[in-house]
Amino acid sequence: MPKERVLARAPSNIAIVKYMGKTDSTLNLPENPSLSMTLAKLSTYVEIHAGKSGTQDRLVAEAPPGVPGEVPTLSPAGIEKFLAHFARIRTRAPNLLREFEMEAFDSGVGEIRTTNTFPHAAGIASSASSFAALTLAGVAFLARDRSLFRAKFASTPGLRRRLAALAREGSGSSIRSFEGPFVAWEGSEAFSVEATLPALSDLVVVVASREKKVSSREAHLRVRTSSAWSGRPARAHTRYAELRTALVAGDFPTFARIAEEDANDMHQLFETAEPAFSYRTKETRQVMEFLATVGAPYAATLDAGPNVHVIVPQSAELLWKRRIAEEFPQYPVLVDRQGTGAELMAPLGGEG
Ligand code: PMV
């Protein structure tokens, strides 16, 4: 019987062509294909071990020993969504493992602990990284032979993709956190795509750290009330195709144009929905205007929040960091780089 704790880490990702609107809200199937850059450090750790008592899986608000990051403050609804996804993993793991010639095992009640390496106050969405990490740790926890699972996870791209598709059912955008650096999501599947761009960094200018007023679940529904919605899937499809071509060609100017256009498109949908809502602030606009004056290549995008992601070649990371800090000393800047997706960490004691 497996005894050791399992520990998984999954990074966040930043979409260049956004996932906004669903064709199926139970399975989280998207209206349009999306494409993101996987990050390296901004991530979630999930540790699971078999509880000694109790009859129900539970989330413990503590950092696992030796694991970096902050324990997130989850709302009761957030905790319920997290545990509901673990329940989904329990029902799906036996068939999923069997597909890859492994067996599931009832390891008993799961005690789950999680941390984020980005500060809660930074207002970075953690659903992609947390549902990806929970899915990987959850299936590993339920595998009879965890060493075999570890080996197959490292060597079988098909297994990684099946786990990603399962994570999607908990949070859509988490499907893109299993590979990298560039991941496309079409329908029920996500996969890495070819790119010849120089290695990139993402500088997140944290202009505000308020909690989201409108959840992403609500945003996916409400955008459909905007008069600009009818053309949105077609616009996103066109940008997605252009972006795939630009990545292969190493065409950073086109990458940058699409990033900005699609972020604007998504935020305009929010701002013209009924009732309208908005994440962009005066500070968001000031940062965007400043970036255009620096005179070095960059791509700017926004998630469903006011903070500005400034994507630049790694070779220009220091220059951009310095220029942004000089102009906006009041805003923290989180610096991350492109990464390769979710990973299982070495076992933390016990067999494994
Ligand atoms: O995964 P969800 O349902 O939280 O959707 C988030 C979607 C955006 O982050 C706003 C855009 C994207 O493609 O990541």
Side-chain angles (χ1 to χ4, degrees), residues 54-70:
T55 52
Q56 282 190 325
D57 298 319
R58 61 190 195 110
L59 182 62
V60 183
E62 274 170 17
V67 173
E70 283 181 15

Side-chain angles (χ1 to χ4, degrees), residues 67-273:
V67 173
E70 283 181 15
V71 178
T73 321
L74 292 175
S75 63
I79 296 172
E80 199 183 308
K81 194 175 165 203
F82 198 76
L83 290 175
H85 187 60
F86 190 56
R88 177 184 290 121
I89 293 168
R90 280 198 180 277
T91 54
R92 302 291 180 74
N95 279 340
L96 193 156
L97 289 165
R98 207 169 301 127
E99 264 179 61
F100 297 91
E101 285 147 8
M102 289 180 281
E103 274 178 60
F105 182 80
D106 184 358
S107 309
V109 171
E111 276 193 14
I112 309 172
R113 294 187 286 181
T114 183
T115 59
N116 290 328
T117 64
F118 37 91
H120 183 65
I124 305 281
S126 62
S127 76
S129 56
S130 59
F131 281 82
L134 175 61
T135 306
L136 176 54
V139 177
F141 177 71
L142 297 167
R144 180 181 288 277
D145 184 341
R146 291 186 189 156
S147 306
L148 182 62
F149 180 82
R150 181 179 297 281
K152 292 214 179 198
F153 179 71
S155 63
T156 318
L159 173 58
R160 201 174 261 272
R161 296 211 174 140
R162 286 286 287 114
L163 292 165
L166 176 56
R168 185 203 76 230
E169 295 187 45
S171 158
S173 53
S174 68
I175 194 175
R176 298 185 312 233
S177 279
F178 282 79
E179 301 182 42
F182 294 99
V183 179
W185 171 19
E186 295 182 5
S188 61
E189 297 266 322
F191 47 91
S192 297
V193 295
E194 189 194 339
T196 61
L197 289 173
L200 300 176
S201 297
D202 181 15
L203 282 67
V204 191
V205 187
V206 181
V207 300
S209 55
R210 275 174 291 130
E211 288 288 324
K212 284 190 190 180
K213 301 181 289 256
V214 175
S215 67
S216 66
R217 178 202 288 260
E218 176 62 24
H220 285 290
L221 290 172
R222 221 189 281 173
V223 286
R224 309 180 90 88
T225 64
S226 160
S227 59
W229 169 254
S230 62
R232 165 66 191 167
R235 292 192 298 276
H237 268 94
T238 304
R239 286 189 196 116
Y240 172 76
E242 277 186 282
L243 180 57
R244 292 283 303 266
T245 308
L247 286 175
V248 173
D251 176 356
F252 190 74
T254 301
F255 174 91
R257 175 179 56 77
I258 292 172
E260 206 154 321
E261 276 179 14
D262 205 62
N264 270 324
D265 193 346
M266 181 176 79
H267 282 265
Q268 272 158 14
L269 290 173
F270 297 160
E271 290 158 12
T272 53

